[in-house]
Amino acid sequence: MPQVDMLRSAPLGEKTSSHLTLYPYVIAVMYKLVSIIPINLRVEQFIIISPVIFFMLTILIVYILAQRLFDDHTALLSVNITIFIPYLLARTKAGFADRDSFVLMVSTSSFLFYVLSHLSDGTKMRWSYTLLSSITMLLTGLTWQGVGVFIAIIAAVEFIKLLIDRSYSYRETAIFASWALPISLGLIFLKPGVYNHPDRPYVQIAVFLPLLILSISIMISITQRIGGLREKLSLHGRLPVGGFLSFLLIAVSVMLFRSKLFHVSKALVYTSIFPFGSNPLFQTIGELQKLGLIGWGLWPGAFWILISIGLLLMVWDVCYEMKLHQLWTMGMVELIIFGIAFSRLSSGMSSANFVETNLTLTIYWASVGIGVLGLLAGFIHAHYKHRIGNPSSPIVWVKIFLIVWCISTLIYLRAAVRFVYLFAIPSALLGGYAITWMFKRCVRRDKENLFYLLLAAAISWQIYALFCDRIGGRSIVLMIYILLAGLTALLVLYITRYTARGGHPILRNLGLTALILYVLSFNSISFHPAFGGYAFSLRNGLPSISLIKEVGAEEALRWLRENTDENAVIAANWELGSWINLLGNRATIVDEQQREYWTYLMARYVFTGEDLTKALEFLKTHKADYLLLTKRDIALLPLTAVEAGIRDNIVIPIFGNIVQRIHISVDGEKVRVIGIGSLNGG
């Protein structure tokens, strides 16, 4: 790989040392391995299908994780739900040649190995799984600089362990060190151009947060061996020594580096509210906006109820093991997730134009703050009354990990559309667990395997929903629908009549019927995604493989490759940057590795500009020879203009038919415009 990639960020080029390049190398190695098989497969074709390969591996990992956490029933249902989650499928389908699918695979692998390290009996196996978790997390960091969102989850679990585990020892410290040190040191030494910036929040979370938790762990391990010091620090057993040392070390760190960490802390708090800022530079990029009320309702929709039930069941089990007050703890957790999820209600009914207000911020911070303080108060009260138990069972820590995973990704989901897919896997696990838990509470133990029959019925509805439009003849579609409806009715009657447990049989039958119908409606009976029916809602989206499959896109890129100079620069929307580099072999100004300021200027002066001279000045500065527009770009121009704070109203020019070329000239400077498609799909 060259030191400077001249196909990107024209005319300066892009230094490869300042970017993470593991994913391109993974694609190249996999393509060479696949090329051993005598099949006619071009590299661009392999890039298009690679997200599906990584997603298939992710599904296998999710199954293993759910099977170890729960059982086979929950694992199969969780996988079934995961496959059809809209936002997850949108980022892992063929043609979306981004690193998200690979990042999801390696990060989920790291979580799986972390869980297995806790469930392992032997010391050697626990060390091995911990090291594998560290390596896969390091691979995630070498692929995406946002790896801190995953590292923070495990770091939070370890921090909780330091607070409440009275048996924390040197062994636990050494195991955590074998996880944290390879990640922090590996990121710094393998990619110094990316992670050697301590003033950036993503570096502090990815590199320094594990080291801070490790420092606290070392201090606690030392204190455990000094009896007198431990008694004094814990005020003779009134306070948990781990919590005291944790807050003490954090306070000292802030005092020692106040001049630096003051601005850092401010940046981190600002990032948690506005993850990528609220200025026009970032608002031009649609993925970094927050979901509005309608967009939030589409996913997870009614499934949110089951996610909450699964989460509260996890909290109940943890409280029972640790002898905490169940209702108080569950109430505080519910307050936190309610505040995170519904603090947007006062922002209006828009789907994607969510704007923070004083009310939304008040609800958000008040619910999170009161919830966290309430949890701490409940723990300290139980500790003071000497009621708190020691969570010696490894499964307790696995459940705590799942709780933290869900709440953390819920915060990420609220932060930006870009992170919606991160919430998919924990929500599928918890929602699937809630469904199977309720099913088994209503069905006799000797009939629990009927759950497999329910899954088979769900898959049948999925197949119908995805392919009913492609079956010739409405009569055939109607016949299949009647057949599935009849089988569904027989399934409900059989399960509810012959397998229900004793006690309140009418209520159990009604509840079991509603549960079965919801599981099936999640797959297609319901036509709206807010109520389920994800498979039905996605069937129209599956054929649209990617942006590059727009009408006329391949023709335009072929024209670029065959009719332009090899040194030509193409001005296009950032979404098409890498495709132009790959398929057109031409340089671009912006791409998916967004230069935010350039992205803003292109939107401000080129795509939505009214002054032709300023537009051409920008294009000339970047030595652009061609301007490429798609019907998608044109359709989104009003949205871009409003979000960028440019103006409220904008007149959009319509650029005719496929590959229409328009010559425009100002002061002798010419730019050729290539139009792809039209607003009416012509």
Side-chain angles (χ1 to χ4, degrees):
M1 186 171 291
Q3 294 295 321
V4 179
D5 187 356
M6 296 307 298
L7 289 181
R8 301 174 57 195
S9 303
L12 303 178
E14 196 73 32
K15 291 183 179 180
T16 56
S17 61
S18 62
H19 293 283
L20 300 171
T21 55
L22 176 64
Y23 183 63
Y25 279 111
V26 169
I27 294 294
V29 171
M30 291 182 62
Y31 176 71
K32 290 183 178 180
L33 293 175
V34 173
S35 299
I36 298 176
I37 306 174
I39 56 177
N40 186 20
L41 184 67
R42 301 192 308 272
V43 63
E44 57 266 23
Q45 292 175 325
F46 182 77
I47 293 174
I48 288 174
I49 66 173
S50 60
V52 178
I53 298 174
F54 294 131
F55 185 55
M56 291 170 60
L57 296 174
T58 303
I59 290 300
L60 177 61
I61 296 168
V62 170
Y63 172 79
I64 299 173
L65 180 59
Q67 197 273 337
R68 295 304 301 268
L69 287 172
F70 307 111
D71 52 34
D72 289 331
H73 296 142
T74 306
L76 290 172
L77 181 60
S78 298
V79 165
N80 186 266
I81 294 171
T82 302
I83 292 173
F84 286 94
I85 291 177
Y87 285 104
L88 184 59
L89 185 60
R91 306 198 74 88
T92 55
K93 64 182 180 180
F96 191 80
D98 206 342
R99 54 193 169 187
D100 288 354
S101 187
F102 180 74
V103 166
L104 192 68
M105 182 192 72
V106 289
S107 61
T108 308
S109 300
S110 180
F111 288 159
L112 172 62
F113 292 133
Y114 181 76
V115 168
L116 293 177
S117 70
H118 282 81
L119 299 179
S120 300
D121 296 329
T123 304
K124 291 184 179 180
M125 291 301 298
R126 185 173 183 189
W127 281 88
S128 300
Y129 282 129
T130 301
L131 187 59
L132 287 173
S133 176
S134 178
I135 293 173
T136 48
M137 189 64 76
L138 176 60
L139 293 178
T140 307
L142 296 177
T143 307
W144 182 43
Q145 60 266 37
V147 64
V149 301
F150 304 112
I151 292 177
I153 295 172
I154 295 181
V157 175
E158 294 296 325
F159 183 73
I160 295 173
K161 188 182 296 185
L162 293 173
L163 290 177
I164 67 179
D165 192 352
R166 291 178 293 177
S167 62
Y168 204 87
S169 61
Y170 279 113
R171 179 171 173 266
E172 294 293 330
T173 300
I175 291 175
F176 180 66
S178 67
W179 183 86
L181 290 178
I183 296 174
S184 297
L185 299 180
L187 294 178
I188 293 175
F189 289 108
L190 293 178
K191 271 298 176 181
V194 178
Y195 292 101
N196 194 17
H197 302 284
D199 58 324
R200 298 182 181 178
Y202 74 87
V203 176
Q204 296 152 15
I205 297 175
V207 177
F208 296 110
L209 180 61
L211 296 179
L212 177 62
I213 302 299
L214 179 60
S215 301
I216 299 173
S217 176
I218 294 173
M219 291 182 60
I220 292 177
S221 299
I222 295 174
T223 306
Q224 298 284 7
R225 296 297 184 97
I226 306 175
L229 180 60
R230 178 181 179 180
E231 289 295 322
K232 292 180 180 178
L233 291 177
S234 64
L235 300 180
H236 300 285
R238 293 185 178 89
L239 292 175
V241 64
F244 180 83
L245 286 175
S246 301
F247 292 116
L248 178 63
L249 183 58
I250 293 174
V252 171
S253 300
V254 173
M255 292 176 61
L256 291 176
F257 303 100
R258 185 182 183 280
S259 60
K260 194 74 174 177
L261 290 186
F262 177 77
H263 301 287
V264 169
S265 302
K266 183 179 179 181
L268 286 173
V269 171
Y270 185 79
T271 300
S272 66
I273 308 175
F274 309 106
F276 294 94
S278 59
N279 57 71
L281 306 186
F282 294 95
Q283 289 301 322
T284 57
I285 303 172
E287 286 186 338
L288 306 185
Q289 301 157 358
K290 297 172 182 245
L291 280 174
L293 182 60
I294 297 176
W296 178 273
L298 296 180
W299 168 250
F303 190 61
W304 170 261
I305 299 173
L306 293 172
I307 298 172
S308 301
I309 292 174
L311 180 64
L312 293 178
L313 288 174
M314 292 288 102
V315 175
W316 180 276
D317 292 342
V318 171
C319 291
Y320 178 80
E321 183 72 22
M322 296 181 59
K323 300 179 182 178
L324 296 173
H325 195 284
Q326 285 98 334
L327 294 180
W328 173 265
T329 306
M330 291 173 65
M332 292 298 103
V333 172
E334 184 64 27
L335 177 63
I336 292 174
I337 62 176
F338 179 85
I340 296 172
F342 298 104
S343 59
R344 63 192 62 243
L345 292 180
S346 66
S347 64
M349 294 294 293
S350 64
S351 61
N353 299 327
F354 175 72
V355 178
E356 292 282 10
T357 64
N358 291 333
L359 180 58
T360 61
L361 290 179
T362 301
I363 297 174
Y364 175 63
W365 283 110
S367 58
V368 173
I370 295 173
V372 172
L373 292 176
L375 291 174
L376 289 174
F379 169 74
I380 293 175
H381 180 265
H383 181 88
Y384 184 77
K385 295 293 185 179
H386 301 287
R387 293 187 316 184
I388 190 159
N390 192 34
S392 56
S393 175
I395 194 63
V396 175
W397 290 113
V398 171
K399 291 179 179 180
I400 291 176
F401 164 76
L402 189 55
I403 294 169
V404 174
W405 188 7
C406 177
I407 295 177
S408 299
T409 51
L410 182 62
I411 294 174
Y412 306 154
L413 186 152
R414 186 191 186 277
V417 178
R418 176 70 174 80
F419 298 135
V420 172
Y421 77 103
L422 298 179
F423 185 62
I425 293 179
S427 63
L429 293 173
L430 292 172
Y433 173 65
I435 292 174
T436 54
W437 184 87
M438 289 187 288
F439 184 86
K440 292 180 179 180
R441 292 302 178 279
C442 295
V443 175
R444 296 202 311 264
R445 186 175 299 275
D446 60 326
K447 297 292 185 178
E448 287 181 355
N449 283 337
L450 285 174
F451 196 80
Y452 295 121
L453 185 60
L454 177 59
L455 282 175
I459 294 173
S460 299
W461 277 107
Q462 288 170 351
I463 296 174
Y464 169 78
L466 292 174
F467 296 104
C468 65
D469 283 351
R470 304 183 182 280
I471 300 176
R474 291 191 175 184
S475 59
I476 299 178
V477 172
L478 180 61
M479 289 175 58
I480 297 175
Y481 178 83
I482 294 174
L483 176 62
L484 289 176
L487 292 175
T488 299
L490 292 176
L491 174 68
V492 172
L493 287 174
Y494 177 76
I495 294 180
T496 56
R497 183 173 182 180
Y498 297 106
T499 64
R501 291 180 183 269
H504 305 288
I506 296 178
L507 292 178
R508 288 184 180 273
N509 289 343
L510 289 176
L512 189 57
T513 301
L515 182 65
I516 295 172
L517 291 177
Y518 182 80
V519 172
L520 298 179
S521 70
F522 189 86
N523 296 280
S524 75
I525 293 178
S526 174
F527 296 100
H528 197 277
F531 302 99
Y534 295 122
F536 188 92
S537 304
L538 286 170
R539 76 179 193 276
N540 295 323
L542 289 176
S544 58
I545 295 179
S546 68
L547 290 173
I548 205 60
K549 285 298 182 182
E550 277 194 81
V551 177
E554 292 185 7
E555 184 182 353
L557 294 178
R558 190 183 310 115
W559 185 91
L560 285 175
R561 187 172 60 251
E562 296 174 355
N563 297 276
T564 62
D565 185 85
E566 63 179 9
N567 295 319
V569 176
I570 313 300
N573 193 20
W574 61 269
E575 294 178 301
L576 291 172
S578 61
W579 288 112
I580 296 173
N581 299 151
L582 175 66
L583 301 180
N585 196 28
R586 296 297 180 263
T588 55
I589 300 174
V590 292
D591 53 35
E592 292 85 341
Q593 196 75 36
Q594 298 120 354
R595 281 179 176 259
E596 292 83 9
Y597 189 56
W598 288 8
T599 301
Y600 167 73
L601 291 179
M602 182 172 289
R604 176 66 180 87
Y605 294 117
V606 179
F607 292 150
T608 62
E610 295 177 338
D611 190 330
L612 192 58
T613 302
K614 289 184 177 180
L616 288 175
E617 285 177 353
F618 174 84
L619 296 173
K620 181 180 179 181
T621 301
H622 291 273
K623 299 184 179 180
D625 301 293
Y626 298 86
L627 174 63
L628 188 148
L629 291 173
T630 70
K631 66 177 182 179
R632 172 184 168 87
D633 298 332
I634 296 172
L636 293 179
L637 284 180
L639 182 63
T640 302
V642 174
E643 289 165 354
I646 298 170
R647 55 187 173 278
D648 295 332
N649 300 307
I650 181 172
V651 178
I652 306 299
I654 306 302
F655 288 94
N657 296 321
I658 301 171
V659 200
Q660 178 181 3
R661 301 171 182 84
I662 303 172
H663 293 269
I664 55 180
S665 175
V666 173
D667 296 332
E669 297 293 337
K670 293 184 178 181
V671 175
R672 179 167 291 179
V673 179
I674 304 173
I676 298 178
S678 63
L679 287 179
N680 58 12

